[in-house]
Amino acid sequence: MAEQIELLTEADTVRFGESLGRELSAGDLVLLSGPLGAGKTVLTRGIAAGLGVSGRVSSPTFVIARVHPAGERGVPLVHVDAYRLGGDLAQLDDLDLDTDLASSAVVVEWGEGSADRLSSDHLVVRLERRPDDVRVATLEPHGNWRPRT
């Protein structure tokens, strides 16, 4: 069942990401969907803070994937931007995300329809930017997804 959350400010998006990140464990897959400027990277910044990983979180558009080493919780974050892959599943396979998924929390921007095949148990977060600049996050769990903590 889908749940919707209004995110009135960028700080709200980060806080929501932090709460989600605190619940994630190695093996969790989160797919972020939404148009440019919807807040996918901002949400990932919050997820990283909740996981306690190190390293600056920025859009990995040109490097495709960034690995953020684990902090005190012991769970690294793999942050992927599948936008430039354009649905090229061979390039996605080359990233070996299924291997990363065993030991990391994996967040994939633009991953719906491609990275969802990494695990039948995953969470899709759809971000919509309304005309009043408020973001609405729709959470859609798939399979038996739930944070493993």
Side-chain angles (χ1 to χ4, degrees):
M1 182 166 142
E3 174 185 354
Q4 287 196 328
I5 300 169
E6 279 194 347
L7 305 167
L8 302 177
T9 66
E10 183 173 312
D12 290 337
T13 303
V14 171
R15 276 191 296 278
F16 168 64
E18 286 175 0
S19 68
L20 180 57
R22 282 191 295 271
E23 301 296 320
L24 297 180
S25 298
D28 285 329
L29 175 62
V30 179
L31 307 178
L32 305 181
S33 176
L36 289 171
K40 294 178 294 295
T41 301
V42 171
L43 181 61
T44 304
R45 195 173 307 133
I47 291 170
L51 279 167
V53 300
S54 58
R56 180 179 172 273
V57 174
S58 59
S59 178
T61 299
F62 296 104
V63 295
I64 310 296
R66 293 186 197 279
V67 177
H68 298 276
E72 289 181 16
R73 290 197 43 221
V75 181
L77 171 65
V78 177
H79 179 202
V80 180
D81 187 330
Y83 182 76
R84 286 189 49 222
L85 300 180
D88 185 343
L89 299 180
Q91 283 187 347
L92 187 64
D93 286 341
D94 289 344
L95 294 175
D96 285 330
L97 293 178
D98 51 346
T99 301
D100 291 329
L101 189 56
S103 60
S104 307
V106 176
V107 173
V108 183
E109 296 186 28
W110 305 96
E112 192 174 18
S114 58
D116 45 5
R117 67 192 177 94
L118 294 170
S119 175
S120 59
D121 303 327
H122 60 274
L123 176 67
V124 174
V125 180
R126 285 196 177 84
L127 293 165
E128 172 192 347
R129 184 178 183 180
R130 295 190 324 211
D132 61 1
D133 213 31
V134 169
R135 272 58 171 190
V136 177
T138 303
L139 284 61
E140 293 181 8
H142 291 262
N144 292 318
W145 190 90
R146 66 177 178 272
R148 291 173 172 80
T149 56

